[in-house]
Structure formats: C-alpha cells, structure tokens
Amino acid sequence: MTTPPIPFIDLKTQRARMGSAVDEAILKVVNHGAYIMGPEVIELERQLGEFCGAKHVLSCANGTDALGLVLMAKGVGPGDAVFVPAFTFVATAEVVAWVGATPVFVDVDEDNFNMNPAHLAASIKWARDNGLRPVGVIPVDLFGQPADYQAILPIAEAEELWLMSDAAQSFGAKLNNRAVGTFGLATATSFFPAKPLGCYGDGGAVFTDDDELIEVLRSIRIHGQGSDKYENVRIGINGRLDTIQAAVLIEKLKLFPDEIEARDRVASRYNAGLADVARVPHLRAGTTSVWAQYTLVLNDRDKVAAACKAANVPTAIYYPIPLSHQLGYKHFPTGPGGVPVSERLSAGVLSLPMHPYLAPDVQDRIIDTVRQAI
Ligand SMILES: *Cc1c(COP(=O)(O)O)cnc(C)c1O
C-alpha cells in the first residue's frame, strides 16, 4: 500500500478553496488592462494597512526590494554599519551590501531564533570603536515570531539608530496585541508564494507611519520619479508589484485570518506530539507566530532528516550556514565573541511540513516518523 506524498507547503488545497474567485480576480485584470499600478494595487495597499494598523503601505516587487527601498530612502552608504542577525535568510544582509554599507552580524537567542538584544548592544559599541558609523538595525522575525522589539527598540533609540523590521516571515503575527508592521521606522515583508501570505509570483510591501519616508519610497519604487512621470529627482529602481499579484493577494487576504488560526493549531499539535523528544519552538510571552516554519532543534539532525526522507516525510534546513560564514559574506564583521548560537542552530535545526491545511492524520504520520527517528 502506498501513502500519498506529503507536501512541505500545500498551496493546492488553498487554491481549490479559493475556487473561481481567484480565477475571476486574475481575469478581471487581464481584461481591464491596467497591468502596472492598476486599481487592485491601490486597494491592496489600503487593505494591508487596515489589516495591521500601519498608516502607510507601499507594495513592491519582492521582499528583498522592500528592505532595499528603505535603505535607499535613508541614504545608507559606505562607512555605515547596519546590524543584522547572522541566522536569517540572505536578503536581510544582502540589501545592506547593495548600498555599499557594512552589515554587522549579531548573534541570536537560542530558544526563539531572533536577534539577541545584549549582543546587539555590544556589537554597536564594537562597530563605533572600529571606525564604523552605526545607522540602523534590521531585526528579523524568524519563522514567523516577532523579534524582541521591547528590548531592541530602546537600544536603537538610545544609540539614535533607525529600526527596520524584516517581517518577510511574520506578517500577521502580533507582539503584545500590536501587529507586525507597526514596530520601528518601517517594516518590510514578502509575498513570495511560500510565505504565510504569498501571491502567485514575487511580491512585497513596506509599512511605515512616517509621512516623509513614504513619499520618498513611492518615488524610489518608480525610478526616483518626481511630481511628473518623466521628472527624476533621485536614483530609484523599478520596484512595482504587478496588478495581477495584487488581485491574487486581495483574494488570499480574505482567508488569511482563518489560515493563521489553522497554522497555530498545527503548531500546537506538533508541540504536543514532540515536546518530550525534541526541542520544540518557544514563543516569548506576549507574542504570537504565523509559523512560516515549524522548526525543531535536534542533537542528531542529519540522522532524523535521513529517516524522514526514507519515510517520504519532507523536511528542510533553514538555515544550514550562518550568513557570517557564507562565502559572499564572511569578509563582513561579526559582533564581539562571534555568533556561537547561530553556529549551533545551523547544525541542529530541522523544519517540518507546515501549512494551514495539514490534516491531523497526516500530521500524526509526520510526528510518528520523527519520534521513531529520534
Ligand atoms: C523571504 C525572505 C526575504 C526576501 O523576500 P523575497 O520576496 O524572496 O525577496 C527577506 N528576508 C527574510 C527573512 C525572508 O525569509
């Protein structure tokens, strides 16, 4: 008897659930013809702002551009230091290098995978003492859980640094009843298909309450345009979100609150089934997660991963190498003492299938497989 393959992320069930609504939304754009900056783009920005409580929303081509647009708008450049966690997806540090500034790698907390505030403070001091000019910090809400903004924001403020939150994995999550999208100067998110809120291609957004910043971001998104289309007042990029993707996101946003609850139920079931045999994810008090990933920390990760593979249970390793150790990034500095926690996590993490449509019987099969492997 063969069991059907388990998807790591199941976008097909969601697609079936949306049915003809998403077909019609896409076709409407195909027929009205405003493929670039069409009415759905404006409507999506309005709905996203309403969803999280941010005053301004700028949709854009992808999450990496969302991060990069803010750095461009802030005029970040050579000699500037921007503090990023070592344990994250490459884009967080990549955008700092884009603008010629120096990413300084900060270690993360063992139990929640997010930027360690004490190591951030030490790293800022180290950067100043070593001739760099600290200008900003980019905490990442890794795997869907908000970073410790209560501890990090006061550090940033005391040092007069701006804070941009990399919420590519966490849009929809909350910290003390405040939604992701409202912490610090700006928040960047991604609508890559595998993110908790994903479109059918690339997409992203920036959230801010800052009236001046949003004007500059709007200009940079479209080639640094001024008040007229062919007036260019600064260096910009082509960073727009396609109207078709906005139409898809408007449909998916309707399901999103329900999907967030479903993700939480899946995570709870994993916790209940695995907490006695593995280190399961830990949410800090007052935080919710949208569970972009459900990630275990294991003593013998590679053995467990191999056993899962043999049982046709897909797993993934986010992330196998700290950014500070990557060939393209190892010439950039790390804070004092290096990033030992990021190194340990890279060797021990294993992410399990996670999506809102994971049926209990399938999930139990995954849990049993992992338990046996351990
Ligand atoms: C996915 C991701 C990004 C980049 O988003 P894209 O839309 O793929 O450009 C940035 N940071 C983190 C933490 C991510 O997970």
Side-chain angles (χ1 to χ4, degrees):
M1 203 178 82
T2 56
T3 42
I6 299 171
F8 190 72
I9 290 179
D10 179 4
L11 293 173
K12 285 188 180 152
T13 303
Q14 182 198 53
R15 191 264 172 277
R17 184 179 171 195
M18 289 190 294
S20 62
V22 73
D23 306 25
E24 283 161 21
I26 292 170
L27 209 58
K28 190 174 165 203
V29 177
V30 172
N31 291 328
H32 74 43
Y35 307 128
I36 301 292
M37 297 305 288
E40 287 81 359
V41 172
I42 313 303
E43 175 58 17
L44 174 70
E45 290 178 345
R46 192 192 66 72
Q47 290 190 15
L48 290 171
E50 198 173 82
F51 187 91
C52 71
K55 186 170 175 193
H56 303 295
V57 182
L58 181 101
S59 63
C60 61
N62 56 70
T64 309
D65 279 3
L67 294 161
L69 280 162
V70 174
L71 297 186
M72 289 178 77
K74 293 304 287 177
V76 178
D80 292 342
V82 177
F83 301 85
V84 299
F87 190 61
T88 177
F89 182 63
V90 64
T92 317
E94 182 179 35
V95 293
V96 179
W98 272 6
V99 296
T102 303
V104 178
F105 293 109
V106 177
D107 211 1
V108 297
D109 275 339
E110 190 103 44
D111 65 348
N112 60 55
F113 312 120
N114 283 332
M115 182 180 269
N116 179 299
H119 196 238
L120 169 65
S123 301
I124 295 169
K125 182 177 184 312
W126 176 89
R128 265 195 229 293
D129 292 347
N130 284 273
L132 289 164
R133 186 169 54 242
V135 294
V137 52
I138 313 180
V140 177
D141 303 341
L142 204 71
F143 304 148
Q145 174 177 196
D148 190 354
Y149 294 107
Q150 280 162 301
I152 294 173
L153 272 165
I155 295 170
E157 268 161 35
E159 300 280 354
E160 298 184 340
L161 311 187
W162 47 257
L163 182 149
M164 165 164 54
S165 138
D166 180 343
Q169 303 183 7
S170 67
F171 187 68
K174 287 185 175 162
L175 172 56
N176 294 330
N177 291 316
R178 243 177 84 186
V180 162
T182 63
F183 299 100
L185 171 71
T187 299
T189 198
S190 164
F191 304 124
F192 183 80
K195 308 287 180 178
L197 179 63
C199 53
Y200 286 153
D202 279 309
V206 181
F207 303 85
T208 184
D209 285 358
D210 189 308
D211 299 339
E212 276 170 47
L213 180 65
I214 190 70
E215 286 313 314
V216 179
L217 289 170
R218 285 197 181 110
S219 165
I220 297 175
R221 172 174 63 179
I222 308 184
H223 303 293
Q225 80 176 15
S227 48
D228 177 79
K229 192 172 173 186
Y230 294 110
E231 183 195 9
N232 306 103
V233 298
R234 56 174 63 79
I235 307 296
I237 66 170
N238 173 0
R240 296 167 297 227
L241 178 73
D242 288 346
T243 309
I244 284 183
Q245 299 303 343
V248 169
L249 285 164
I250 288 170
E251 291 309 310
K252 291 211 190 183
L253 200 52
K254 293 175 186 168
L255 311 182
F256 194 43
D258 183 54
E259 291 184 343
I260 292 172
E261 282 181 27
R263 284 175 178 276
D264 213 43
R265 280 196 298 275
V266 171
S268 297
R269 195 180 182 88
Y270 271 140
N271 283 348
L274 294 168
D276 61 327
V277 295
R279 184 133 67 81
V280 299
H282 177 260
L283 296 188
R284 283 180 304 104
T287 64
T288 68
S289 177
V290 288
W291 302 104
Q293 302 297 340
Y294 182 89
T295 303
L296 301 172
V297 184
L298 301 163
N299 294 327
D300 203 347
R301 188 260 314 278
D302 295 339
K303 188 190 81 183
V304 177
C308 288
K309 187 159 192 266
N312 279 322
V313 169
T315 62
I317 298 171
Y318 302 109
Y319 296 91
I321 306 173
L323 281 190
S324 48
H325 296 36
Q326 293 277 6
L327 188 56
Y329 290 84
K330 62 185 188 190
H331 58 293
F332 291 119
T334 55
V339 292
V341 178
S342 300
E343 288 167 5
R344 275 204 295 282
L345 289 174
S346 294
V349 286
L350 189 69
S351 300
L352 303 182
M354 168 50 82
H355 57 80
Y357 304 101
L358 190 54
D361 60 324
V362 178
Q363 196 180 358
D364 288 345
R365 216 180 100 202
I366 299 167
I367 291 169
D368 287 346
T369 304
V370 173
R371 289 189 71 91
Q372 275 172 34
I374 296 168

